[in-house]
Amino acid sequence: MSKRSLLKFFTRTDVKCSLCDRAMSKLKVMQEKYPFDIEKIDIVAKGNEHYYEQFQFDIPVMHMDDKEICRHRVNEEAFKKYFNLSTTINNSDTNNDSETN
């Protein structure tokens, strides 16, 4: 069973964000191809002031493993690269585990 990745989707709820709406729709479709869950983070929510300072003019921003993968629009090539790299690393870890046993 493969591990699901977590995508952090930074957005804001105090204004209409058509880029965010389109990105979220595309992400939902991409979940059929790639194993990831989405955590939606509202940068204007209480306690998220540090995210607001970082992203107030750049939403949506998407992170995987605490690294930015996309900004403003979903880039499917970035997802392919991330998941190919992630699969390679996981396969390497599995191979290393079997060699030590």
Side-chain angles (χ1 to χ4, degrees), residues 65-95:
D65 298 328
D66 296 320
K67 292 183 180 117
E68 185 175 317
I69 190 168
C70 301
R71 185 177 290 238
H72 303 147
R73 289 171 183 77
V74 175
N75 178 335
E76 189 161 358
E77 287 303 312
F79 276 80
K80 286 179 186 175
K81 183 177 177 183
Y82 172 83
F83 282 101
N84 284 336
L85 180 60
S86 181
T87 301
T88 302
I89 291 169
N90 288 338
N91 287 342
S92 174
D93 290 345
T94 302
N95 291 338

Side-chain angles (χ1 to χ4, degrees), residues 22-83:
R22 285 193 297 267
M24 184 59 77
S25 293
K26 188 163 185 179
L27 289 171
K28 299 235 181 235
V29 170
M30 289 181 60
Q31 282 182 305
E32 296 171 12
K33 288 184 179 179
Y34 303 103
F36 70 94
D37 295 314
I38 301 169
E39 176 185 358
K40 195 172 180 181
I41 299 171
D42 182 0
I43 65 170
V44 297
K46 187 174 181 168
N48 287 345
E49 293 82 7
H50 57 292
Y51 293 134
Y52 180 81
E53 290 299 317
Q54 271 185 284
F55 305 129
Q56 63 182 316
F57 302 113
D58 286 314
I59 58 168
V61 177
M62 292 146 266
H63 285 192
M64 290 271 206
D65 298 328
D66 296 320
K67 292 183 180 117
E68 185 175 317
I69 190 168
C70 301
R71 185 177 290 238
H72 303 147
R73 289 171 183 77
V74 175
N75 178 335
E76 189 161 358
E77 287 303 312
F79 276 80
K80 286 179 186 175
K81 183 177 177 183
Y82 172 83
F83 282 101

